[in-house]
Amino acid sequence: MATTTTFPLLPKSRFTGSSAAIRRPQEIACFSYDDDHEYHPDDSSLRYYYPPRLGANLSDGFDQFKKLDDTADDHLDSLLKTIMELEKETGIRTVADFITWRGMMTKILITPFDTSGSFEMRATLFQGTIFIEENRSFKLAQWQSQRAQPSPHGGPSQDLMSFWGYKFETLSLIPRPWGETSREYIEGREKQVVNNHAQYCCVVKTGIGKMKMILGGEVDAVWDAKPSNKDEPINWVELKTSEEITNDRTAMKFERKLLKFWAQSFLLGVPKIIVGFRSKNGILERVQELETQTIPKDVKRKGKATWDGNICINFAASFLEWLKASISTPGVWRIAKHEHSAHIEVHKLEETGYGDILSPEFVEWREQSSPAPGDIDKN
């Protein structure tokens, strides 16, 4: 009978000190979803940043919102398809200890300071790599619980506040570099129908401590242009919205939000986060640019020190090394952290198979082809 193993989160002090070694995230491939959320193995949905107009009403167009139905479980399919195409192109098999979406690694990275958070993931071991995906049914249950909660003091609904974020993106993005975009397009962004189907996703190789990872994740925009030299870092931009800081309570709330902002961008190598501060009623009041690498220092020196980036990195390095040793046999595994729990559980669910974590096409490609294992760099 399968047993459950646990990784203790306390004492947190054992993760203090200088951070573990970090491998700078480097894009090795990309893919896009178009306005109908159809997959394309290219950068056709890449967008560029251009500042929005202050005073814009982020609620405008809520009744016309073309919202993606994200209740379906897409597993790792698009990420694996992109990796498969890269391996066909280069003749080199992607070697990593972990392959997953950026969102899964974000949850792990912020765990030491997200005590009330909970998650459930599924994992499988294949050809020496651990593939991790989110347990979709668990996530959907979380969403339903959040949406069922009444808005405090008659404030905006969860759905409306979620829309504000997509509206801010629409107000801040253009489809071509500024010099190639018409003034009419830029000034007409406030009237555009908000559609969150289109996404640009980058696939990066990175690492924390001894563990090498391939992560896939959406990137909102590029500041200028992607460099022709693949070894050069890309000036990605992450767009976020937050309530305007008016007192100690909202300052503390924003500092806690910065933990996830930082973790998401840190993992994909996004150097700049642009925050649109809004009023309680959704009016865009100001825009602030944050440098991802300086956020942990600013929290420690200027804020309330509610979290520590080095502790997050050291925790992730230690946990991932333990996870690599724990998931050492084929089958399907559950990785779970419960609300306010002092540990993360790993439990084997199935002795064989991949539990739909891996697509049949990817498994067939890997088993029937023989690309040489290596450290992929797309030239």
Side-chain angles (χ1 to χ4, degrees), residues 55-91:
N57 188 340
L58 299 178
S59 298
D60 284 351
F62 179 53
D63 57 338
Q64 298 174 297
F65 181 27
K66 292 185 177 179
K67 185 178 185 300
L68 174 67
D69 179 8
D70 51 9
T71 57
D73 193 343
D74 295 327
H75 302 286
L76 299 174
D77 292 0
S78 294
L79 177 57
L80 298 181
K81 189 183 298 185
T82 305
I83 290 173
M84 189 165 56
E85 291 304 315
L86 178 63
E87 293 179 348
K88 290 178 181 179
E89 179 184 335
T90 62

Side-chain angles (χ1 to χ4, degrees), residues 84 94 192 195 199 232 238 260 299 303 321 338 365:
M84 189 165 56
T94 309
Q192 284 184 17
N195 180 343
Q199 299 173 6
E232 291 183 22
E238 181 75 17
K260 190 172 183 181
V299 167
E321 194 170 341
H338 304 295
W365 157 250

Side-chain angles (χ1 to χ4, degrees), residues 197-223:
H197 289 63
Q199 299 173 6
Y200 173 89
C201 298
C202 68
V203 179
V204 304
K205 65 175 183 179
T206 185
I208 297 179
K210 299 177 182 178
M211 298 294 102
K212 294 181 179 181
M213 299 179 287
I214 301 294
L215 304 178
E218 181 185 6
V219 173
D220 290 328
V222 65
W223 180 262

